[in-house]
Amino acid sequence: MRVLVTGGAGYIGSHTVVQLVAAGHDVVVVDSFANSKPTVVPRLEALIGGPLEVHAFDLTDRDKTESLFAERQFDAVIHFAGLKAVGESVEVPLEYYQNNLDSTFALVRAMQRHGCFRLVFSSSATVYGDNAPVPYQEDYEPLSAASPYGRSKVMIEQVLRDVASAGGQWRIAVLRYFNPVGAHPSGTIGEDPQGTPNNLMPFIAQVAVGAREELYVFGDDYPTPDGTAQRDYIHVEDLAAGHVAALHRIAHQEPGLRAWNLGTGHGTSVLEMIRAFEHASGRTVPYTVVGRRAGDLAAYWADATRAHEELGWSATRTVDDMCADTWRWQSSNPEGYPD
């Protein structure tokens, strides 16, 4: 298939591009480079063994989005593009709602006009909110979220559900994933957060490489075995494989929308992750325990049974794999991608 990958230069998008090409698909990328850098492109081309067609613009530009679909015929779209920092979304909620919703509206309208009805949407476990029982299951209702970022995902899921119900031709996969970490085993592409990392793993990696002095652990009095919060960490390579599996599924499934969790099905605590990273890197990761962060949950993880049964997909990489690949990327690229 010819697949358009929106946000294809970003962290998860770039790893998915490599696996899509390896699976025999013809890939085109559109990315505004708001959360990524153009210097990832030659690295992707080296990994896929050839040129990569990249269009640099924001999907909220409806004219450019429409023109791309008018010029190129796509069989499917994988939609990663969007703003994604939970904390930032609380500070500038309007920007998050406007960007994430408008980009999706422009994309889906262009797809519909040009007869492209297969879509894989990058959603998030944040849509389950604060009250869903653990492990999270796809049929849980009502979906909610504690941040504008998460609520934008809930809104988009509902929009896509309504579009699929009204259309009759749409085949939509919604992938709710948990905590992506790790990097390509080559160490040439990985996570390169802009500014202060919002997530645990890149912060640990930057401390280990000497870019930051210490890690703050937000709370050690949770009702978990070691008192620190537990999360379902999934290797980005497993996550990318999940997108390829979902793409193959919607190529043949009946019209409609289906959601799948992509996670390992178990939680890893902050302290467990620190110890695993120290083992993988041979470096000490100094940390200080501070007060809990508002809105953080004690523990959650996925029930990934549906993805295993319906997509033939399971996470295969361990926490040790995640840490080893992250360290290979960070130690080879201590400042991330060059500007």
Side-chain angles (χ1 to χ4, degrees), residues 10 34 42 46 69 80 93 108 132 164 169 195 275 278 282 289 292 315 318 326:
F69 278 84
F80 293 105
V108 173
Q169 300 182 73
R275 287 193 288 270
E278 288 180 332
V289 176
R292 293 187 185 187
T318 66
T326 299

Side-chain angles (χ1 to χ4, degrees), residues 82-83 95-104 149 152 156:
L83 301 178
E95 288 186 26
Y96 271 68
Y97 288 123
Q98 185 167 355
N99 180 279
N100 292 0
L101 291 166
D102 282 359
S103 60
T104 304
Y149 160 73
S152 76
I156 292 169

Side-chain angles (χ1 to χ4, degrees), residues 197-219:
N198 293 291
N199 300 319
L200 176 65
M201 182 68 95
F203 211 114
I204 290 177
Q206 290 188 9
V207 172
V209 84
R212 297 185 183 276
E213 290 186 5
E214 65 175 349
L215 171 74
Y216 291 120
V217 175
F218 296 102

Side-chain angles (χ1 to χ4, degrees), residues 19-333:
Q19 292 202 23
L20 285 168
V21 173
H25 298 290
D26 179 14
V27 177
V28 177
V29 167
V30 59
D31 201 301
S32 70
F33 295 102
N35 285 321
S36 58
K37 294 179 181 177
T39 48
V40 71
V41 175
R43 297 186 181 207
L44 286 176
E45 291 177 329
L47 287 172
I48 66 176
L52 179 65
E53 182 179 340
V54 179
H55 298 267
F57 66 86
D58 197 308
L59 289 173
T60 58
D61 188 325
R62 296 187 179 188
D63 291 339
K64 289 183 178 179
T65 302
E66 171 68 24
S67 294
L68 179 61
F69 278 84
E71 294 166 2
R72 309 284 276 136
Q73 183 175 352
F74 298 108
D75 299 301
V77 175
I78 301 181
H79 182 30
F80 293 105
L83 301 178
K84 63 176 185 175
V86 172
E88 183 184 59
S89 77
V90 176
E91 299 171 0
V92 288
L94 188 59
E95 288 186 26
Y96 271 68
Y97 288 123
Q98 185 167 355
N99 180 279
N100 292 0
L101 291 166
D102 282 359
S103 60
T104 304
F105 294 155
L107 175 67
V108 173
R109 283 186 182 278
M111 291 176 67
Q112 186 162 273
R113 285 195 192 99
H114 296 277
C116 179
F117 295 104
R118 297 186 185 101
L119 174 65
V120 179
F121 174 60
S122 163
S123 192
S124 166
T126 59
V127 302
Y128 291 109
D130 295 344
N131 299 313
V134 177
Y136 292 166
Q137 294 182 312
E138 292 92 342
D139 290 334
Y140 174 78
E141 294 284 351
L143 297 180
S144 63
S147 69
Y149 160 73
R151 284 190 282 272
S152 76
K153 293 291 189 183
V154 172
M155 292 175 183
I156 292 169
E157 281 202 26
Q158 187 58 61
V159 168
L160 295 178
R161 192 173 302 277
D162 291 341
V163 167
S165 297
Q169 300 182 73
W170 286 92
R171 292 168 169 83
I172 300 175
V174 170
L175 301 182
R176 298 172 182 161
Y177 36 86
F178 284 66
N179 295 71
V181 297
H184 191 273
S186 67
T188 57
I189 60 172
E191 186 171 10
D192 182 21
Q194 308 299 302
T196 303
N198 293 291
N199 300 319
L200 176 65
M201 182 68 95
F203 211 114
I204 290 177
Q206 290 188 9
V207 172
V209 84
R212 297 185 183 276
E213 290 186 5
E214 65 175 349
L215 171 74
Y216 291 120
V217 175
F218 296 102
D220 62 354
D221 57 351
Y222 285 104
T224 61
D226 64 19
T228 62
Q230 291 178 315
R231 297 291 182 264
D232 189 338
Y233 295 97
I234 177 173
H235 198 296
V236 67
E237 287 283 284
D238 282 333
L239 194 55
H243 287 78
V244 177
L247 181 68
H248 293 167
R249 167 72 184 227
I250 63 172
H252 306 292
Q253 75 176 24
E254 292 298 311
L257 179 146
R258 188 73 164 160
W260 289 280
N261 287 335
L262 296 185
T264 65
H266 66 267
T268 301
S269 75
V270 175
L271 293 184
E272 287 173 332
M273 187 62 80
I274 291 172
R275 287 193 288 270
F277 202 93
E278 288 180 332
H279 176 74
S281 66
R283 302 283 184 93
T284 299
V285 178
Y287 65 88
T288 298
V289 176
V290 297
R292 293 187 185 187
R293 194 165 46 184
D296 276 354
L297 301 179
Y300 63 82
W301 52 86
D303 180 341
T305 303
R306 181 185 289 185
H308 175 65
E309 293 178 348
E310 298 181 1
L311 302 180
W313 173 92
S314 294
T316 61
R317 293 163 178 83
T318 66
V319 168
D320 289 336
D321 295 329
M322 300 172 200
C323 292
D325 289 339
T326 299
W327 179 241
R328 188 177 300 109
W329 151 256
Q330 191 71 70
S331 58
S332 301
N333 304 271

